[in-house]
Amino acid sequence: MINVAANVPATSGEFAELVSEHLDELVTYAAHLVGDADSAVELAAAGIFHAAKYPPARIGVDGTAALYRAVTRACRTGERFPPRPHGPARLWRRSRASLQTEFRGGDVASRMNTVKRALMTLPFERRAALLLRNLARLRYPEIARALECSPEAASRQLAAARRQFSSVYREIAI
Amino acid sequence: MKCSLLALSSYLDDELEPGRRAEIEAHLVGCERCRKGLECLREETERFGALGRVHVPDDAVNGFLQQLGLLGPGDTLPPRAPRPPDPPGPELPRWRGGGGAAETLPWSARHDPQPPPAPPESDQPSLPFVDVFSPSGVTVMAASSEQPPEDYELQLNGRSVPASPAPQSPEAVPGAPEPPAPDPWSHGSVALEGFGAWATVHPVRVTPSGLEEATSEASGIDGPTLGAAGDEPLAPKAAVVEATGIEAGAPATTPEPVVIPEDILPPPPLAPAWPASVAPPVHPPPPPPPPAEPLPASAPLRPQPPPTRLGDQSWLDSGSFAPRVRASDDEGDPWSWAPRDDPVPPQFRTHPAPGFSTDPLGSVPGGAGAPPGRSPGAEVASDGDAADADATPDPLIDPLIARVAGPPQPVRATLISRLRDQVSLRLALMRSADGDDGRTPGTGPGWGHTASPPESAGLLTAALRARMDPPVEMEAPAAPPTSGGLPTRGGHDTDRLAASPWSEAPLFESAAIAEATAPRVRDLDRGPGKPGRHTRQLGDHRWIGPSAGKLDSAPGRFGDLPYRLSRLARQFRRRYIVLAMLAILALLVVTVSLVVNHIGAPTPLPLAANTGASSRAVPLASGTPALQPVTALQPSASVAPSAAPTVSATPVPTPVPTPVVATQSFGSGGSGWTVEDVRYGTQTNGDLWIVLDFSGGSGEPRATASFSDPTTLDVTLTGAGESGLSPGTGGIVTKAVATSSGSTVKMVFDLSKAVTLKNGSYTPQDKSNPYPLHLILDLG
């Protein structure tokens, strides 16, 4: 039986509410994933922009994972919104104004504490898996969608990330 | 069932099927290793609570979504749900202040169900600091302008300190009996001299990790942030503001200082004066303390060591504090049985610290989750016997404190002493690493080493490593110190250390130790100029954020030049400098290219005025009978390669340059024509057309055009005659002469300038002219 409701595209208002609900977590996730709170808003905005362009059919079910997947992609590729110029134009200031968004706590996300230092030594995918589980509290299927892999691979990534994080943290922490 | 990290991880996340879950639970009953591993995983999960959270204000969310196009200009979203609170205390391990895995430690924070009171000002950026340590972190808030609240208190391990008048200074009354040793925690409010003048210790909760992180954040600290009464004036305001991220308001009134009783104070600093390199205190020094009174005999809590600082290392030889070394790095590693697909990079491998273990599981008898260095058995039971319990040496903590802070003594687990020791350690390490304390390069122990400090390891870790490694040297202490009381270790230049202004008056012994040994640690961790892979990543990352460039220059191929360039370009006001530099560079390149072209260009050839219409016309010597039959109106291109040999019968040894003359022929060879008129017309492109009008013939008379000199055009018409033709002048033609002989007409045109014959063609009659044939010669 065809699920007709699944093919109904989500409204922008519905998606905006979802984004508004998870915006703090998305920006925090991006900040810790790339280790740069200054770029977190731009990266998260790029992901949200992409996710809004191609919204999931079941926004109530897949919306969160789609958002995190888009933000993870943006962090992986360095895509920003508004896009930054390429070439020598990067040497001077961006012509387009950046997002006029103020956020608090960015300095905290930028600071280097022990957990963050240990986290930054992990590979990108493992770091993302750890953050998606421990920071965003996603379930394994959602982590798999965010990382664009199978749930088994996500669980393996997470276990390996924990293993590596434990080793590094044990070495650098007192 | 086999032990599996993957299964434990999934079990921890509650992602297993019920059958598999029960299987693992049954396995955990009998497998000690997996139990420890599970606890370790739980701890790691809880550690992520220390990561900062970003909060986008509600009013900024709408604008954000509007910029993304998700909301229209007039659309507004319903208010968001209130921000969920930070993880509650019980989710945290007990050593972080929660009720989690480990037992409550005597000096750990007590979970307070009451949330910390709001900061006095709503716009106080208290979020960063609270985020790091909440809900059981240190919250240092700025003192408001009004009188400080009466109920501020210092909570430490469940010792709730109610508001009460400050204990009086132990004024000695002659003849009066010795008062009993007061229990400081049961009495009340604690304020710190010099500290309370600008900040108020609002409910203070101290956790070991929180303390470590708090001090690790303060990368720009110029002095210790905390101190005790009787010390020199404490940290500059900016240092604590940077450490806490809280801007302390200027106090209008100074809280009444309350003196901490003597018996809980940390030992007086052996070098009471701050080094000259430390920034001067902001506040005036406190009034001189009352005359010291000898401690009552009933409370011999702190036997003062002889003032030898670190000169006497005999305490190191005592059995309980003798360094011991773990058998291997994997000892105590709960994952030692698991395959190490990602071995720890060498720069992260630490030598085990004797006396305690950094492993949170293995060597702590308190069990899983216990912090390194404290067993639950040493926990202080209640408020009443706090003093006695603090005086009791703890087998795990006190060696650590003693190794960091000084000779073995029953160090009281006070907030001040721990804070002071850690801050001084970090301060010393940062100074030795940065070298920005005003020392002359080459005089301090931090100079002369090109390697960067081990940013991969915590500074305190580095200090402990420096203190305790290598064990061989520790077991065989060198000769007694000769100068400055600094420890003499093998290979260290004590004179050099003594020459350092920092080492002359170290804050604490631990600082001196750390400073003296920090370069050695750096050399051990990684060789100079050889940052590891992860270290490079950390180093690169350090360039972002407020801590950028705080330690030293990042290793890179070009040093810090790329960073400085990008930073320069990012700054709004200075982008014009970059533009100006680029413009100057471009101008320079253009100038150089022009100069080079001017110098290297060949001398311009003389004007090839008569070289024909195009490059296909090859110059011929004058008089060369090279007329070719031309069927088209286009100039002839088939010419002899060289005219000189054919003209002269005898070879000319040195060819004389002949004038460059071209000969072009037009017409197929008609007859019976008469030249009726010669007209001139200047075209829009500047060319001059010479038009010869013919009448009464057939075919096209053959016309040959050549230049006898650059300004003289000769036109010979074969098959045509003329009857009293007198051509006029026009354009650049200054003179025209026509002569005829039989069926040949020769016309000579004198030109005012050298031109070339671009084209020549016959055209039939047009409507504006009665003659049936025209020859047009295009000169330009």
Side-chain angles (χ1 to χ4, degrees), chain B residues 667-728:
Chain B
S668 57
S671 62
W673 291 98
T674 301
V675 180
E676 297 289 347
D677 194 5
V678 178
R679 295 178 291 157
Y680 307 99
T682 303
Q683 304 301 311
T684 56
N685 57 355
D687 291 352
L688 175 67
W689 279 13
I690 300 176
V691 181
L692 306 179
D693 298 330
F694 296 89
S695 64
S698 63
E700 292 176 350
R702 185 173 183 81
T704 302
S706 64
F707 284 89
S708 57
D709 60 70
T711 57
T712 301
L713 173 65
D714 297 335
V715 178
T716 302
L717 301 171
T718 304
E722 58 91 16
S723 56
L725 178 63
S726 57

Side-chain angles (χ1 to χ4, degrees), chain B residues 353-542:
Chain B
F356 80 105
S357 167
T358 56
D359 176 23
L361 296 176
S363 53
V364 177
R374 190 75 176 190
S375 70
E379 173 183 0
V380 175
S382 63
D383 295 344
D385 54 354
D388 294 337
D390 279 340
T392 304
D394 188 282
L396 287 175
I397 282 298
D398 286 341
L400 171 62
I401 299 299
R403 289 179 193 285
V404 172
Q409 51 188 318
V411 179
R412 299 184 66 92
T414 58
L415 163 69
I416 305 302
S417 61
R418 290 174 193 280
L419 271 176
R420 190 177 61 177
D421 282 338
Q422 296 215 15
V423 170
S424 62
L425 269 175
R426 294 181 177 278
L427 182 63
L429 281 176
M430 287 175 185
R431 289 193 174 281
S432 64
D434 286 346
D436 57 351
D437 53 355
R439 290 179 296 174
T440 303
T443 56
W447 295 96
H449 294 268
T450 56
S452 301
E455 62 261 289
S456 59
L459 291 175
L460 193 53
T461 308
L464 290 173
R465 275 191 253 160
R467 184 68 183 91
M468 299 166 187
D469 288 336
V472 176
E473 296 180 1
M474 298 295 290
E475 291 173 359
T482 57
S483 61
L486 291 173
T488 303
R489 298 181 60 175
H492 269 281
D493 188 359
T494 54
D495 295 334
R496 184 159 159 251
L497 293 180
S500 169
W502 174 264
S503 61
E504 285 176 3
L507 280 181
F508 305 100
E509 299 157 359
S510 53
I513 293 171
E515 185 187 18
T517 53
R520 172 177 293 261
V521 175
R522 272 179 271 157
D523 293 344
L524 287 176
D525 276 46
R526 63 181 188 206
K530 282 185 171 181
R533 178 167 59 94
H534 297 288
T535 308
R536 172 65 65 89
Q537 290 176 358
L538 286 172
D540 292 343
H541 171 74
R542 205 181 55 208

Side-chain angles (χ1 to χ4, degrees), chain B residues 41-60:
Chain B
L41 287 180
R42 283 188 179 139
E43 281 187 15
E44 287 167 12
T45 304
E46 291 155 358
R47 283 192 192 108
F48 276 80
L51 290 177
R53 308 296 177 104
V54 177
H55 177 62
V56 181
D58 291 342
D59 52 352

